[in-house]
Each structure stands twice: as C-alpha cells, then as structure tokens.
C-alpha cells in the first residue's frame, strides 16, 4: 500500500515537473520589479514574485512605474493612489476587447514608506482567472 502511494506520488510529481519545465520562473524581489515584467501566480502582498516571459501563462503584468523625486513632499494617500492608477492609462497599454476577467491594481508608498525614501508607484493588470494571460499588454 505504501509502495503504491509512493509510486503514485512520484508519477504526479514527474508530471507536474514536466509540465512546468517549459515555463522557467525566476523569483524576483518586489523592489526589483520592472515595467513590462509578467508574473505567474501573482500575489500583490508578497515580497517577491515568480517572473515569467509574457508569452507563458501568467496572472499579472506590471504596466506602469513612476518614481517621485526625492525632494517631493508626501502628497497624501489619495493623490498617490490617483497617480499610480493613471499609470494604467498610458497609451502604450493595449487591452483586449473583453476585459471582464481583468482588474487594475495600484501600489504606492505609505507616509512612513515615503519618509523612509520609498517614492515608487506601480500599476498592474491582473487576471481574475489565474494564469490565463499569454501576451504582453505593452505595445
């Protein structure tokens, strides 16, 4: 019985390893995300993500990045949210005709983060259906 379970487990592991072999993932720290990066199994709250090529199945793409100047005063949460949101409206972003399975997510620093030197604002396009995206939104 244990031998049979072990054999089944090895077969399942082998199939999953083979299936993911064509899709290399690179773990990237969130502070190193770059505009255009695509991510499999994206978790916006995580400190790192699995970067993949945009032609491989993925669930999110970073489509906009802005870094405010060091001398700029903290503009407030609402203003940062609006600036980050505007990054998803750039003319080089091309969305499909049906966007019902997509959502926009913005990331921006808190007031404490701003005081600590974080001036980065990001905008992501995410699939609500998991790793179903297979192309870049940037053109």
């Amino acid at each position: 019985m244990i031998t049979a379970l072990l054999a089944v487990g090895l077969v399942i592991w082998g199939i999953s390893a083979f299936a993911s072999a064509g899709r290399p993932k690179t773990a990237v720290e969130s502070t190193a995300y770059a505009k255009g990066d695509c991510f499999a199994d994206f978790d916006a709250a995580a400190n790192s993500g699995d970067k993949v090529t945009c032609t491989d199945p993925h669930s999110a793409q970073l489509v906009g990045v802005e870094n405010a100047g060091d001398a700029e005063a903290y503009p407030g949460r609402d203003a940062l949210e609006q600036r980050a949101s505007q990054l998803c409206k750039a003319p080089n972003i091309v969305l499909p005709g049906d966007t019902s399975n997509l959502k926009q997510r913005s990331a921006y620093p808190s007031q404490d983060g701003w005081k600590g030197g974080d001036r980065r604002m990001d905008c992501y396009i995410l699939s609500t259906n998991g790793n179903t995206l297979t192309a870049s939104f940037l053109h």
Side-chain angles (χ1 to χ4, degrees), residues 41-119:
D41 304 315
F42 185 70
D43 177 0
N47 291 327
S48 66
D50 289 330
K51 181 179 164 185
V52 297
T53 63
C54 292
T55 55
D56 286 333
H58 58 280
S59 60
Q61 182 175 15
L62 177 58
V63 296
V65 175
E66 179 185 339
N67 288 294
D70 291 340
E72 186 176 336
Y74 180 70
R77 182 181 186 277
D78 291 342
L80 286 176
E81 182 176 22
Q82 185 176 28
R83 281 172 69 176
S85 179
Q86 285 300 319
L87 295 171
C88 276
K89 294 174 176 53
N92 66 326
I93 299 170
V94 178
L95 299 176
D98 178 9
T99 59
S100 62
N101 295 322
L102 299 177
K103 67 180 180 177
Q104 172 183 317
R105 176 157 182 136
S106 301
Y108 46 87
S110 65
Q111 186 169 7
D112 288 340
W114 191 276
K115 287 178 186 176
D118 181 7
R119 300 285 196 281

Side-chain angles (χ1 to χ4, degrees), residues 20-34:
S20 65
R23 294 178 281 169
K25 297 178 184 178
T26 304
V28 177
E29 294 294 316
S30 61
T31 56
Y33 291 172

